[in-house]
Amino acid sequence: MDTPTESANRNVCLLTLGDITDGQLENISKEHCYSRGLKRKYLELHDDVDGQQEHNQSLSPADDCFDDNYDACQSEIESEKDEDEEEEEGALGGRRIVEVSVLAAKLDEGCSKCSTELKLSSCVGETRYGLGSLLKIHCIHCNEINNVPTGKRYGQNTWDINTKLGAAVVFCGLGEMTVNNFLAALNIPTVTSVTFKTREREVGSIFEAVANETCNEALAEEKKRSQDAEKFSVSFDAGWQTRGSGRNYASLSGHASMIGEKTGKILSYAVRCKKCRFCDKAPVSAEVNKHDCRRNWEQSSKAMEPDMALEMLHDLKARDFHVKHLIMDNDSTTLAKAKMSFDPNIQKNSDFNHTKKNSGK
């Protein structure tokens, strides 16, 4: 139920609207920032937490409905770039992720022109790069505008916080929309798709290098614990991103791994992918731009499993680990391919989990 004040404010606003003709009301509706999709920017311009209450009290209900500041709001949006860099002027709203030590050190250095101490309260804007920002801090002594970073950078203006974000989303299996929804709920500026994909690809190659290194370490440990080369055994299984029904296998990608019997650690892994967005979008007659293409399979999705098994068996053999026993499910195709193309004497042991599941059917 409305309070007397809320009820009175609404009545005043309705009375004001009643004095306007239909044509004027239609023009206002079209031009107002809320109707033109600028609601978020409009709110940011008025999101001064300390002065919000005073601002609201100074405006009449009519002024609140028809604030002319949407022009400034529109011009700010039009000046924004469609790239990774985003400019914002005036008092900052919302929250930011900062490295306290870096920010404090830059503030202690003082103004770049006169060395006067800088204060966060003198911030007049920012340039955002994903989750990182360059705060524009005004010097009260010489009027110089100083760019103060909120975190560490490396290379050609690459922000460490954005690289950490890329590693986090790959590790947790999150997507751009989920991450931006999470940031928006915390009132933290969202990350553009350019920054998101660039940093995701950057950390992806690092993850692969680390994975290969850990596989080598696990293989060395497996050799040491197995000792007898005639008893080298691995557990093998494959998976797909789309579940197969038994009659239809239409997944666009598949993955598989071989795990050492003694250590229980992954010794080798393989991935098959049937789709590449860059290649698919390129015209048939045009040359595809250079990119990190991961398409490596054109046959059926079901055929991925034996092919990945053969790849890993040969990979382990090249690293002096000739597999003699393959612990796997009851997939006869994979075993037949292994006997024909790898080692006719390789032995197959049934996996306990698959055998137990199949016996219950």
Side-chain angles (χ1 to χ4, degrees):
M1 184 174 180
D2 293 341
T3 63
T5 303
E6 292 173 339
S7 179
N9 287 341
R10 185 169 62 255
N11 291 337
V12 172
C13 189
L14 290 175
L15 288 172
T16 307
L17 287 172
D19 296 334
I20 301 174
T21 65
D22 293 339
Q24 291 174 322
L25 184 59
E26 183 179 356
N27 291 333
I28 290 172
S29 177
K30 289 181 179 179
E31 294 298 326
H32 196 268
C33 60
Y34 278 69
S35 301
R36 301 178 65 178
L38 310 179
K39 179 178 179 180
R40 178 181 175 189
K41 281 292 179 182
Y42 179 84
L43 292 177
E44 287 181 357
L45 288 174
H46 299 79
D47 193 22
D48 183 2
V49 178
D50 295 330
Q52 185 66 47
Q53 185 175 0
E54 180 181 353
H55 173 78
N56 290 339
Q57 292 175 352
S58 64
L59 292 176
S60 67
D63 290 335
D64 192 34
C65 292
F66 314 118
D67 193 349
D68 290 333
N69 283 336
Y70 70 87
D71 289 330
C73 176
Q74 180 190 15
S75 62
E76 183 178 350
I77 285 187
E78 291 175 349
S79 66
E80 285 183 353
K81 300 178 181 179
D82 294 330
E83 300 177 355
D84 191 23
E85 180 179 320
E86 294 182 274
E87 294 276 353
E88 182 172 346
E89 301 292 341
L92 304 184
R95 297 180 175 87
R96 302 292 185 274
I97 300 176
V98 303
E99 293 184 59
V100 178
S101 59
V102 175
L103 182 60
K106 291 296 182 181
L107 291 175
D108 289 342
E109 289 179 5
C111 176
S112 59
K113 188 175 182 180
C114 66
S115 300
T116 303
E117 181 182 0
L118 298 176
K119 297 181 179 180
L120 282 176
S121 57
S122 300
C123 183
V124 295
E126 72 172 335
T127 303
R128 289 199 300 270
Y129 300 87
L131 293 179
S133 296
L134 284 177
L135 302 179
K136 298 179 180 180
I137 299 183
H138 172 255
C139 177
I140 59 176
H141 184 263
C142 67
N143 294 326
E144 180 75 9
I145 301 299
N146 297 268
N147 291 324
V148 177
T150 57
K152 293 192 291 288
R153 293 174 290 177
Y154 62 93
Q156 296 181 348
N157 200 35
T158 301
W159 292 74
D160 185 66
I161 182 63
N162 294 331
T163 301
K164 294 292 194 300
L165 175 65
V169 297
V170 172
F171 181 77
C172 299
L174 301 178
E176 178 187 348
M177 182 175 294
T178 303
V179 171
N180 280 335
N181 287 341
F182 176 77
L183 294 174
L186 296 177
N187 203 12
I188 297 174
T190 55
V191 180
T192 64
S193 57
V194 174
T195 298
F196 195 90
K197 296 304 296 183
T198 302
R199 301 281 74 82
E200 190 180 55
R201 294 189 181 104
E202 176 192 12
V203 301
S205 59
I206 299 175
F207 272 38
E208 289 181 355
V210 173
N212 292 331
E213 183 179 348
T214 55
C215 285
N216 291 332
E217 294 175 355
L219 182 59
E221 184 180 351
E222 182 73 20
K223 289 180 183 179
K224 184 177 180 180
R225 296 180 61 174
S226 297
Q227 296 181 354
D228 189 356
E230 294 300 320
K231 296 182 179 180
F232 283 165
S233 301
V234 295
S235 176
F236 165 78
D237 200 9
W240 294 265
Q241 272 57 58
T242 302
R243 184 179 179 88
S245 63
R247 295 180 296 274
N248 179 33
Y249 294 88
S251 179
L252 296 176
S253 63
H255 57 274
S257 62
M258 285 188 172
I259 301 175
E261 181 189 25
K262 301 296 183 181
T263 60
K265 298 179 180 180
I266 296 178
L267 308 181
S268 184
Y269 66 92
V271 177
R272 293 291 180 270
C273 186
K274 301 170 66 174
K275 189 176 182 63
C276 174
R277 181 171 58 87
F278 286 94
C279 296
D280 292 342
K281 286 189 174 183
V284 177
S285 59
E287 183 179 352
V288 181
N289 293 332
K290 184 179 180 181
H291 64 282
D292 184 17
C293 184
R294 296 307 175 101
R295 178 189 286 175
N296 59 4
W297 193 249
E298 295 181 353
Q299 302 177 36
S300 69
S301 298
K302 180 60 178 174
M304 292 178 180
E305 184 172 13
D307 189 73
M308 289 187 288
L310 286 176
E311 177 188 322
M312 289 184 285
L313 287 172
H314 286 291
D315 173 58
L316 291 176
K317 182 179 179 180
R319 292 188 283 165
D320 298 325
F321 191 86
H322 190 117
V323 177
K324 297 294 184 179
H325 298 272
L326 199 57
I327 305 170
M328 54 179 289
D329 56 16
N330 297 319
D331 181 16
S332 58
T333 304
T334 301
L335 182 61
K337 291 272 188 179
K339 286 181 175 292
M340 180 175 63
S341 304
F342 178 68
D343 185 355
N345 297 319
I346 191 171
Q347 300 295 316
K348 179 252 184 182
N349 295 333
S350 296
D351 176 70
F352 174 79
N353 291 331
H354 285 92
T355 303
K356 181 180 178 181
K357 182 175 66 174
N358 293 333
S359 63
K361 293 182 178 179

